[in-house]
Every structure is written in C-alpha cells, then in structure tokens.
Amino acid sequence: RRVLFRSRKKSFFDVPPMFVGVMPCDDGNLILSVEEREEILQKYPTAKKFIKPFMSGEDFLKIKIRYCLWLKDFSLDKIKKFPEIYERVEKVRIFRENSRSEEHKKLAKKPHKFARSNFVEEKKIFIPMLSSGNRKYIPIGFIEKNVVVSNLGSFIPNGDKFLFGILSSKVLMAWLKKCGSRFKSDYRFSATLVYNTFPFPTPTETQREKITATAEKILSVREKYFGWTLATLYNEKTMPEDLRQ
C-alpha cells in the first residue's frame, strides 16, 4: 500500500520548532573570512557589534570558521561611518538590483539585511541541510546562541539532550530515508518533510532519562576526538567504534 506524505509547517507533536537558516542573497559581501573580520576590527574596533559567527552545513561538518555582517538592527546612516562595511553593503544593493528576480530587486532597498533573517539568540541544535548518503547517522550538534545559521542548515532553539538523542537515532534515519528528499546521493534534512512529520515518541520518565543518558554518552565520546571533524567522525570508513556503539 502506498502512503503519501505532505509537508507540514508545524509538527504534529509538542516539540520545539525547527527553522531554516538565513538567506544572504549578497554575492558573498555580507560573509567574512577570519582574516577579513580581523582586518575590519583592526581598523574599526567598535565594528565588533556588527559581526556574528556564521555557520553553514559544511562549516559545521568540517570545522570551518566564518563570520557575517549582521546589520539588521542598524540604520544605513550608522553603517556609513564604517566605509569598508558600507562598501560591502553597496555591492549587495547593486547585486540585487541587477538580479532577474523581482523579489531580489525589492530587497535592494534594504541591502544591509539578509533576504531571510531567521535568527534566534538562543543555544541551538544544528542540523546540516545535506548529509552524505554514506553515513548511517546525521551529524548534529549544539551551537552557541550568537551563531547565525545559513540557509544550508537548520536549527532548533532551546533543543535539549533528549531531542538530540531522538534526532541521533536509527529510527530518525529510517524516517529520513523514507520521507526526505535527496540531492544526488546526499540526504536532505527538511523541517517540513522530515522533522514536522516525524512520529515523536511519548516516553515514560525512565525512557526519557535513558535517551538523555545515551545522548550524553554520544557527546562525551565525540569530545575524546577533539580536532576530528564531524565529517570524519561520522564517515562509515573512519567512524570510531566507541562512537558507533
């Protein structure tokens, strides 16, 4: 018998919502490397208020460090006092004005803002949007509250270790394989197709404690491999046996 799934904007269950990260639409001008951030701060120390850590799925999996200009809460007049930053904003405006998309052209009126500004200043569970089909588990983890998640990742504000344990399970992977879509051979983890349709359990207190304890063990074992990327830790060929257990 065929069972059809429909995407949902909200989960059937009482779980924290999952959000897709921000959409830059900036031609790279609002994103900073470590070196670019240092150059700006050396010249304008007070510009620190404009900069936040930025994370995509690849950054998360391969321990790449990047930053972004988070200017949403500041006026263009204030930004003009920092010429190098304002120059980047102007490049965003030009890029959007020259876009074929009418929606992007409208966004040119607010070039200092991301096209989609999903950001919650809370500690978050991070989920890469794409994960290799060679993995038996999706590498997920906790990230700090000031990190801006890119549109190549999703996040759950205030997610706890119990939820981390559920999302790290074989049951979740079975659901992802059945209900999620693919990009080439990679799994695509979607909030609307996977997370919001997933049949979350209603555990007893004992079961909740056991799942939480297992999640803590996973995180503890990962800490033993400091310096290893999650891409390596979760690769079937290189996954440590204690993490697999």
Side-chain angles (χ1 to χ4, degrees):
R1 188 172 80 172
R2 292 184 66 194
V3 180
L4 301 180
F5 288 87
R6 293 180 180 176
S7 63
R8 288 183 55 84
K9 292 183 179 180
K10 186 179 179 181
S11 173
F12 287 109
F13 300 88
D14 184 21
V15 292
M18 176 183 286
F19 301 96
V20 179
V22 302
M23 177 76 74
C25 185
D26 67 332
D27 200 29
N29 289 292
L30 297 177
I31 312 303
L32 304 173
S33 66
V34 173
E35 294 76 18
E36 288 169 331
R37 173 184 179 271
E38 289 306 310
E39 287 175 9
I40 288 174
L41 292 183
Q42 282 179 10
K43 192 163 186 179
Y44 309 111
T46 58
K48 189 175 182 180
K49 60 192 172 187
F50 295 144
I51 300 174
K52 291 184 182 293
F54 182 76
M55 184 177 288
S56 68
E58 185 177 7
D59 298 329
F60 175 74
L61 292 171
K62 297 183 178 179
I63 319 180
K64 293 184 176 180
I65 299 174
R66 290 193 296 166
Y67 297 88
C68 69
L69 291 169
W70 191 255
L71 307 170
K72 179 181 177 182
D73 302 322
F74 301 95
S75 67
L76 284 174
D77 287 339
K78 192 160 191 173
I79 297 166
K80 284 179 181 178
K81 296 176 182 178
F82 304 85
E84 279 82 354
I85 295 177
Y86 187 72
E87 182 181 352
R88 285 174 172 269
V89 170
E90 275 296 284
K91 287 179 179 178
V92 174
R93 181 184 61 77
I94 293 168
F95 172 73
R96 291 176 180 178
E97 283 181 345
N98 291 332
S99 172
R100 294 181 179 180
S101 166
E102 289 302 318
E103 184 180 350
H104 290 175
K105 288 181 178 179
K106 291 178 183 177
L107 291 169
K109 296 177 181 178
K110 298 179 180 179
H112 60 305
K113 296 184 180 182
F114 282 72
R116 183 178 63 227
S117 300
N118 288 347
F119 172 70
V120 180
E121 194 151 3
E122 300 287 351
K123 192 170 183 179
K124 317 166 183 70
I125 293 178
F126 180 96
I127 306 98
M129 180 172 286
L130 296 176
S131 184
S132 170
N134 296 324
R135 299 186 183 118
K136 286 193 175 181
Y137 302 92
I138 297 290
I140 66 174
F142 291 94
I143 59 174
E144 294 304 316
K145 65 180 184 179
N146 64 329
V147 177
V148 176
V149 175
S150 93
N151 60 308
L152 296 179
S154 299
F155 64 94
I156 304 170
N158 293 316
D160 59 14
K161 290 177 182 176
F162 168 76
L163 183 57
F164 173 91
I166 295 295
L167 296 178
S168 299
S169 69
K170 287 183 178 179
V171 178
L172 187 282
M173 284 302 299
W175 191 262
L176 170 62
K177 291 175 182 178
K178 203 71 177 175
C179 305
S181 58
R182 292 283 189 109
F183 178 75
K184 297 181 181 179
S185 62
D186 292 346
Y187 300 117
R188 186 189 292 271
F189 197 112
S190 161
T192 55
L193 275 177
V194 179
Y195 184 77
N196 291 342
T197 62
F198 182 69
F200 282 92
T202 305
T204 64
E205 191 58 36
T206 300
Q207 290 170 331
R208 176 178 284 273
E209 288 174 0
K210 185 176 180 180
I211 292 170
T212 300
T214 303
E216 289 172 346
K217 288 180 182 177
I218 293 170
L219 294 168
S220 177
V221 171
R222 287 186 353 188
E223 286 179 3
K224 287 172 53 179
Y225 297 91
F226 178 79
W228 288 42
T229 66
L230 286 171
T232 301
L233 280 174
Y234 280 76
N235 185 299
E236 271 301 289
K237 294 180 179 178
T238 55
M239 190 176 201
E241 190 56 33
D242 50 355
L243 178 59
R244 188 187 304 276
Q245 290 302 321

